[in-house]
Amino acid sequence: MAVIETAPERVPPALRRELYELMVLSRVFETEAERQYKAARIGGYCHLSSGQEATTVGTVQALEPEDLLVTGYRCHGFALARGVPPEAAMAELFGRADGCAHGRGGSMHLLDVERGFYGGWGIVAGQLPVATGLALALVRQGRSQAVLCELGDGAVNMGAWHESLNLAALWQLPIVFLVVNNEYGMGTSVSRASAEPELWRRAEAHRMHGERIDGDDLDAVVEAADRLLRDAREQRRPAVLEAVTYRYRGHSVADAGLAYRDADEIAARKALDPIGRVRAQLIDAGATEDELDAVDDAAEAQVQAAVQCALASPEPAVEYLAFGMHAAGSAAQFERMRPGSPFGEEKLTFDAGLGA
């Protein structure tokens, strides 16, 4: 990993305290999500971002209310930073009706369009063309806003990466591609998977601005994200921002994360914990240990309350399983598809006795 100098402190104390609270909430949420997954209350896959909080919270902080956010499947922290209530996020992980995607998405597909969060996407690099299309829509609508598209280091070797960057540069779209380089794509290190491991340099092939920052340095993240998103809004200047960070857990909850790295490596990176760094800055600025311990306790209470809300939330009604498959008014468009139904079905029905 290239050496990245520590940025000077740029975040005001009040904002630093606010971002610290979000970082702690994200960490506690992820710890509880793992616990609930192992208790079989969360189905499907579950990818945690413990250790990446400075990148997650710092980049979202730079978004304006009307900006748009699109992410990959490691999306819990981004949803919380964008303002999705922990109760709605946890209920979604549980697949419940009160989830932010009404129980349809689960861990990999959190969504809150009202907050400009157009979802976590489960296909590696699948979100890039979507985000690029959203940026094109902003241009065509004459809106001076930007798109932040998050992806992992593994996605830069997919075809959709090159296609999306090419069009973003060609059409001068207002989008920042945030590459969260946590050093491992599933169980493969970046150096073993990428001929050019300094991922920000990939932007050069498309004559696009690119840069690399220490993703565990909150000040560096906030400064770079704010600057590049402002350039995207005001100058329609797309960019690639590579944030070098580290995930403490495995690729997913099902991965112990020790087959391709050892405990000493993980311990060394935990010693540089971004939350600990921000806590130390707050103490230097006059905060007390008791004050910050209270923040930690509040986050624990908030997440436990979210679990109880998720447990109390009903499961989605079966009759709404296919709801939203087609937009209102699109019947004529899909009329030609009806012959594909063996009996011309128009409603989704279930036989309670089927298989009995």
Side-chain angles (χ1 to χ4, degrees):
M1 184 184 75
V3 176
I4 306 172
E5 294 184 1
T6 301
E9 292 189 16
R10 301 174 183 271
V11 179
L15 177 58
R16 191 181 304 278
R17 170 66 176 266
E18 179 183 332
L19 298 184
Y20 175 79
E21 292 175 358
L22 281 172
M23 292 170 69
V24 171
L25 175 63
S26 179
R27 177 73 60 84
V28 173
F29 186 96
E30 297 291 58
T31 301
E32 186 61 33
E34 181 174 16
R35 185 179 297 115
Q36 295 299 323
Y37 185 89
K38 291 178 177 177
R41 288 172 171 169
I42 297 173
Y45 294 98
C46 186
H47 303 81
L48 309 178
S49 58
S50 303
Q52 303 179 186
E53 292 85 2
T55 290
T56 300
V57 170
T59 52
V60 174
Q61 156 62 29
L63 290 170
E64 291 186 347
E66 298 302 316
D67 287 337
L68 307 180
L69 172 65
V70 184
T71 75
Y73 46 74
R74 203 177 299 277
C75 58
H76 307 164
F78 285 99
L80 295 172
R82 191 57 171 161
V84 175
E87 296 81 2
M90 189 66 76
E92 189 58 41
L93 267 62
F94 279 45
R96 301 302 178 91
D98 293 318
C100 55
H102 309 295
R104 297 169 176 274
S107 168
M108 300 172 74
H109 308 100
L110 300 183
L111 174 79
D112 195 326
V113 174
E114 290 185 0
R115 290 180 169 83
F117 179 34
Y118 279 75
W121 291 73
I123 301 299
V124 175
Q127 73 274 27
L128 273 74
V130 174
T132 304
L134 288 170
L136 177 60
L138 291 177
V139 171
R140 291 192 170 183
Q141 294 167 6
R143 296 171 56 189
S144 58
Q145 299 302 320
V147 177
L148 178 65
C149 177
E150 181 270 344
L151 60 142
D153 48 81
V156 302
N157 294 322
M158 304 296 285
W161 158 265
H162 301 284
E163 295 166 355
S164 299
L165 263 66
N166 181 61
L167 291 180
L170 189 65
W171 294 338
Q172 295 181 292
L173 299 182
I175 183 169
V176 174
F177 296 97
L178 169 66
V179 182
V180 180
N181 180 356
N182 59 28
E183 302 189 26
Y184 293 96
M186 293 190 73
T188 305
S189 67
V190 171
S191 61
R192 293 187 63 188
S194 295
E196 175 48 87
E198 294 189 40
L199 305 179
W200 65 275
R201 294 186 183 277
R202 306 288 188 93
E204 296 175 2
H206 302 281
R207 298 186 177 182
M208 185 185 299
H209 174 78
E211 63 184 86
R212 169 185 271 197
I213 58 171
D214 179 355
D216 293 340
D217 183 336
L218 182 64
D219 292 273
V221 173
V222 170
E223 187 281 326
D226 180 73
R227 171 169 42 81
L228 296 183
L229 284 166
R230 188 169 60 250
D231 285 349
R233 292 185 208 102
E234 297 175 1
Q235 303 179 37
R236 282 179 51 184
R237 186 186 185 205
V240 170
L241 177 61
E242 178 189 2
V244 181
T245 180
Y246 197 79
R247 56 171 167 80
Y248 297 158
R249 311 302 297 167
H251 174 73
S252 70
V253 175
D255 169 28
L258 294 173
Y260 46 89
R261 57 184 186 174
D262 58 38
D264 289 342
E265 176 185 317
I266 298 171
R269 294 306 298 265
K270 283 187 174 181
L272 305 174
D273 186 359
I275 293 180
R277 290 168 70 169
V278 176
R279 184 184 179 101
Q281 290 169 333
L282 288 171
I283 290 174
D284 287 344
T288 67
E289 293 282 0
D290 288 345
E291 286 179 62
L292 300 183
D293 286 346
V295 170
D296 300 351
D297 293 342
E300 290 281 357
Q302 194 173 5
V303 170
Q304 290 305 316
V307 170
Q308 295 308 309
C309 287
L311 289 171
S313 178
E315 295 186 354
V318 173
E319 57 267 28
Y320 287 100
L321 182 63
F323 182 78
M325 292 290 289
H326 306 304
S330 61
Q333 177 183 353
F334 295 99
E335 183 67 33
R336 62 184 177 82
M337 299 174 65
R338 293 183 189 278
S341 300
F343 305 103
E345 298 94 341
E346 296 186 16
K347 288 184 63 177
L348 187 67
T349 58
F350 295 87
D351 184 348
L354 188 63

